């Protein structure tokens, strides 16, 4: 049972459950409010996944550490490299 | 910790997504259980829009991505060499 088959089985089960509740395929005659909540569920899950992704990206942008020392070290190395190349004849 | 603009942008993204998630959750899940004449319904559009608006937003995002890809590919096209 590969991972792909596992995922497909899981997705199919959830999809069938959703279809049965939303479109009343088994004539269960659930109360209307439950059907009204169930049928936008795939879209709702997609929107909440999008919100979660956006929040994660935003949070990690806000908490990403500035590395002052590494920045200075990099500038030094750039200067050294430029000197070195100029000595070897590369015109900048 | 990141400084200045980075923090502001990051935090505003977090707040925006939280607000969006809460509003959409109330719209889709809470509202059907609330009585028809409750004042809460005044703050929400009719329920059809809870499906139409994300659909339109998704289409706009796809169009933007497609346009960006088209522009990049157009700029990088190289004429064929005649050998």
């Amino acid at each position: 049972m590969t991972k792909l088959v596992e995922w497909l089985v899981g997705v199919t089960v959830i999809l069938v459950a959703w279809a049965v509740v939303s479109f009343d395929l088994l004539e269960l005659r659930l109360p209307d409010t439950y059907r009204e909540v169930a049928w936008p569920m795939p879209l709702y899950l997609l929107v909440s996944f999008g919100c979660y992704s956006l929040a994660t990206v935003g949070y990690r942008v806000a908490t990403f550490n500035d590395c002052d020392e590494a920045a200075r070290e990099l500038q030094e190395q750039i200067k050294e490299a430029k000197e070195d190349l100029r000595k070897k004849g590369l015109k900048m | 910790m990141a400084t200045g603009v980075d923090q502001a942008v990051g935090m505003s993204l977090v707040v925006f997504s939280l607000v969006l998630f809460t509003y959409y959750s109330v719209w889709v899940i809470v509202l059907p259980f609330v009585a028809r004449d409750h004042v809460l319904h005044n703050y929400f559009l009719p329920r059809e829009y809870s499906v139409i608006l994300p659909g339109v937003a998704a289409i706009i995002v796809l169009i933007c991505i497609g346009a960006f890809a088209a522009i990049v590919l157009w700029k990088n096209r190289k004429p064929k060499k005649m050998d």
Side-chain angles (χ1 to χ4, degrees):
Chain A
M1 180 75 93
T2 62
K3 276 288 168 202
L4 175 66
V5 173
E6 272 182 27
W7 272 85
L8 283 176
V9 165
V11 167
T12 311
V13 164
I14 292 177
L15 221 59
V16 165
W18 170 76
V20 163
V21 171
S22 297
F23 306 116
D24 214 14
L25 298 174
L26 288 177
E27 316 280 320
L28 290 172
R29 265 169 262 278
L30 292 165
D32 257 349
T33 41
Y34 289 106
R35 292 189 57 196
E36 228 188 291
V37 169
W39 90 258
M41 266 308 127
L43 191 63
Y44 173 76
L45 291 174
L46 200 63
V47 169
S48 26
F49 173 69
C51 284
Y52 167 73
S53 307
L54 198 65
T56 309
V57 166
Y59 180 71
R60 292 199 182 155
V61 165
T63 53
F64 195 81
N65 289 321
D66 281 344
C67 343
D68 294 317
E69 225 183 86
R72 265 181 278 131
E73 199 183 322
L74 188 62
Q75 293 295 341
E76 285 294 321
Q77 288 179 343
I78 291 174
K79 259 196 291 179
E80 279 179 41
K82 276 190 179 164
E83 281 295 321
D84 194 38
L85 286 170
R86 201 153 10 100
K87 286 205 195 100
K88 297 198 175 137
L90 184 71
K91 290 192 185 49
M92 293 250 155
Chain B
M1 286 291 283
T3 50
V5 183
D6 278 355
Q7 244 183 346
V9 168
M11 276 306 150
S12 59
L13 276 181
V14 171
V15 166
F16 172 72
S17 56
L18 276 177
V19 166
L20 191 68
F21 176 70
T22 314
Y23 185 86
Y24 198 69
S25 302
V26 171
W27 201 6
V28 171
I29 297 182
V30 172
L31 233 43
F33 293 104
V34 160
R36 263 296 138 199
D37 42 6
H38 195 283
V39 72
L40 193 61
H41 282 275
N42 297 341
Y43 294 100
F44 292 92
L45 293 166
R47 283 200 98 225
E48 299 76 54
Y49 289 100
S50 74
V51 174
I52 294 173
L53 288 178
V56 167
I59 291 175
I60 291 177
V61 163
L62 285 175
I63 288 177
C64 289
I65 293 175
F68 175 75
I71 289 174
V72 168
L73 287 172
W74 182 260
K75 277 200 179 149
N76 289 346
R77 76 190 191 290
K78 291 189 178 68
K80 282 211 191 104
K81 280 195 246 199
M82 306 302 264
D83 273 323

